[in-house]
Amino acid sequence: ERAGAIFKAFELLEEAKSEQQAKTAAELYHQAIDKGLSTLPASHSLEQATWLIHALQAQTQCLLQAGDNSQAIKSAQSAVDLSASCAKETGSNHEELLLIQYTSLEVLQQALEKSMTLSCSKEQEVEVLQKLFGMEEPKSLTTSQKNQRRSLGFRLQKLERELNQ
């Protein structure tokens, strides 16, 4: 049932041409995430939580596409929190965990950037970007992700200049 909802949501997200399709995909992700959270043991492994973190990241993208920026921020923050709890649980910093934490922070930054007009602030985005650049860079970043990281570095510099004026 959870897998079915994830699969349908993924298909909808891939072909979402309208805000309504993105909302439907986000709702399907929400259903699967709720089921996943209810069955996730308190002491969970990275393997147990990985699909859930990816689902939260995908749900964030759906919510952003649907224009629901405040919910997108909550979903992205949940992905960041869950990936951080995995780091505490496993006590390791292996590559897969680094990449999951990195992409979770990246998704949160995107949500904050799109929501700048809400109650979100430049300070919040700067804080997320500083965390992202404060962690070890995952070795498995693709060329596209490396280029995105470079762009985020420029964005961080711009936001810090604006805040210091």
Side-chain angles (χ1 to χ4, degrees):
E1 190 177 341
R2 173 184 78 196
I6 288 284
F7 185 70
K8 281 186 211 170
F10 180 75
E11 283 182 329
L12 271 174
L13 177 59
E14 287 296 303
E15 54 190 54
K17 304 270 190 282
S18 71
E19 190 176 298
Q20 186 56 45
Q21 286 175 314
K23 283 180 184 177
T24 303
E27 181 53 39
L28 288 169
Y29 275 116
H30 178 74
Q31 291 170 12
I33 289 164
D34 278 352
K35 285 182 175 88
L37 284 173
S38 68
T39 60
L40 190 67
S43 180
H44 52 271
S45 69
L46 179 61
E47 291 74 28
Q48 292 169 313
T50 297
W51 77 267
L52 195 51
I53 295 166
H54 289 301
L56 285 161
Q57 292 171 350
Q59 180 187 37
T60 300
Q61 296 301 329
C62 292
L63 291 165
L64 288 172
Q65 192 171 342
D68 192 347
N69 296 342
S70 62
Q71 282 302 113
I73 290 170
K74 290 177 185 175
S75 180
Q77 186 62 57
S78 294
V80 168
D81 294 344
L82 187 54
S83 67
S85 80
C86 284
K88 287 178 188 167
E89 290 290 326
T90 62
S92 70
N93 243 1
H94 62 75
E95 184 64 19
E96 184 182 7
L97 181 56
L98 275 174
L99 189 58
I100 288 172
Q101 288 180 299
Y102 181 87
T103 57
S104 295
L105 285 167
E106 197 174 43
V107 168
L108 179 57
Q109 181 277 328
Q110 291 169 8
L112 287 168
E113 183 178 357
K114 284 197 174 190
S115 304
M116 200 58 75
T117 56
L118 296 175
S119 61
C120 300
S121 65
K122 289 179 184 178
E123 289 88 357
Q124 288 173 296
E125 188 179 353
V126 165
E127 183 180 318
V128 168
L129 286 168
Q130 287 172 338
K131 282 181 187 175
L132 188 123
F133 284 102
M135 65 183 285
E136 180 183 335
E137 182 178 328
K139 292 172 183 55
S140 60
L141 290 181
T142 64
T143 302
S144 175
Q145 287 172 315
K146 289 177 183 176
N147 289 337
Q148 175 65 18
R149 182 178 172 89
R150 204 170 2 269
S151 295
L152 291 175
F154 293 132
R155 177 148 180 86
L156 175 59
Q157 290 173 354
K158 176 184 176 250
L159 290 170
E160 286 175 333
R161 273 195 313 273
E162 288 174 5
L163 290 173
N164 290 329
Q165 289 178 352

